[in-house]
C-alpha cells in the first residue's frame, strides 16, 4: 500500500474559510477546481500569486495544491486562499523535507506579509438598536 504525502491546512479572513491540500505532484495550483490563472476577479488574482512568488516557483515544482473556499465575499475568499496556500507550503516542507527549510520559508513569508501565515482576528461588530449600525446612532434634535 503506497502512502500519499499530503498535508491539509486552512486560511481564514472574516467569514471566508479556505482549505488547502498539498500533495506530491507537478506544481499545479487549483482554486475551487480551476487553475490559479483563471481565478476571478482579475485584480485580486495577483494576491493569490504572492505566496508562490515570494518562496519561488522552484520550491513549488513538485507539490500540487488544491484549495476549496467558501463563505464571505470575493476579497475575503482571496485572502483566505492565499493564506491557506502559504500555510500549506510551510506545513509540507516541515513534514516531508526538513524543519530548517520550513523555517526559512516561514521567515520569507512573514517578512513579506504577516497575513500570509497569521489570521486577522478582526470581525464585524454586531448592530445595536437605536441606529443604523454597530456604532452609528440616530441624530438627536433639541428643538
Amino acid at each position: 500500500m503506497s502512502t500519499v504525502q499530503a498535508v491539509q491546512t486552512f486560511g481564514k479572513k472574516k467569514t471566508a474559510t479556505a482549505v488547502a491540500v498539498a500533495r506530491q505532484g507537478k506544481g499545479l495550483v487549483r482554486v475551487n477546481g480551476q487553475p490559479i490563472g483563471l481565478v476571478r476577479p482579475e485584480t485580486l488574482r495577483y494576491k493569490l500569486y504572492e505566496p508562490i512568488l515570494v518562496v519561488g516557483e522552484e520550491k513549488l515544482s513538485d507539490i500540487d495544491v488544491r484549495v476549496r473556499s467558501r463563505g464571505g465575499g470575493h476579497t475575503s475568499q482571496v485572502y483566505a486562499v492565499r493564506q491557506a496556500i502559504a500555510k500549506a507550503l510551510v506545513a509540507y516542507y516541515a513534514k516531508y523535507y526538513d524543519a530548517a527549510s520550513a523555517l526559512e520559508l516561514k521567515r520569507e513569508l512573514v517578512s513579506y506579509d504577516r497575513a500570509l501565515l497569521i489570521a486577522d482576528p478582526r470581525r464585524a461588530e454586531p448592530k445595536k438598536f437605536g441606529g443604523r449600525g454597530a456604532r452609528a446612532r440616530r441624530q438627536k434634535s433639541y428643538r
Side-chain angles (χ1 to χ4, degrees):
M1 187 173 129
S2 67
T3 58
V4 178
Q5 293 184 345
V7 291
Q8 188 171 350
T9 58
F10 67 93
K12 283 187 168 191
K13 174 74 171 162
K14 294 186 181 178
T15 57
T17 305
V19 178
V21 178
R23 290 193 179 98
Q24 192 173 13
K26 303 186 292 260
L28 299 173
V29 179
R30 292 174 96 59
V31 178
N32 289 334
Q34 61 184 356
I36 195 169
L38 299 178
V39 173
R40 300 184 70 88
E42 298 88 30
T43 52
L44 293 172
R45 192 177 298 157
Y46 298 106
K47 282 286 177 191
L48 292 180
Y49 281 119
E50 283 178 356
I52 298 164
L53 296 174
V54 168
V55 300
E57 291 183 32
E58 67 280 348
K59 299 245 181 179
L60 197 73
S61 62
D62 60 340
I63 302 171
D64 283 352
V65 182
R66 286 191 162 67
V67 189
R68 295 181 312 277
S69 64
R70 61 189 313 158
H74 296 297
T75 305
S76 293
Q77 279 196 358
V78 166
Y79 277 86
V81 166
R82 77 196 274 260
Q83 187 181 73
I85 291 171
K87 285 168 84 172
L89 288 173
V90 172
Y92 191 87
Y93 267 79
K95 190 170 182 180
Y96 297 112
Y97 290 99
D98 58 336
S101 62
L103 201 61
E104 182 60 35
L105 279 179
K106 204 174 202 177
R107 208 172 283 127
E108 286 175 21
L109 291 166
V110 169
S111 69
Y112 178 76
D113 184 5
R114 188 171 183 264
L116 283 170
L117 293 178
I118 292 107
D120 189 356
R122 297 177 296 172
R123 297 291 178 263
E125 191 176 339
K127 180 197 174 303
K128 281 100 178 168
F129 61 88
R132 295 182 305 100
R135 297 289 172 103
R137 299 291 118 214
R138 290 200 185 93
Q139 285 189 340
K140 196 167 184 180
S141 172
Y142 291 102
R143 287 188 170 199

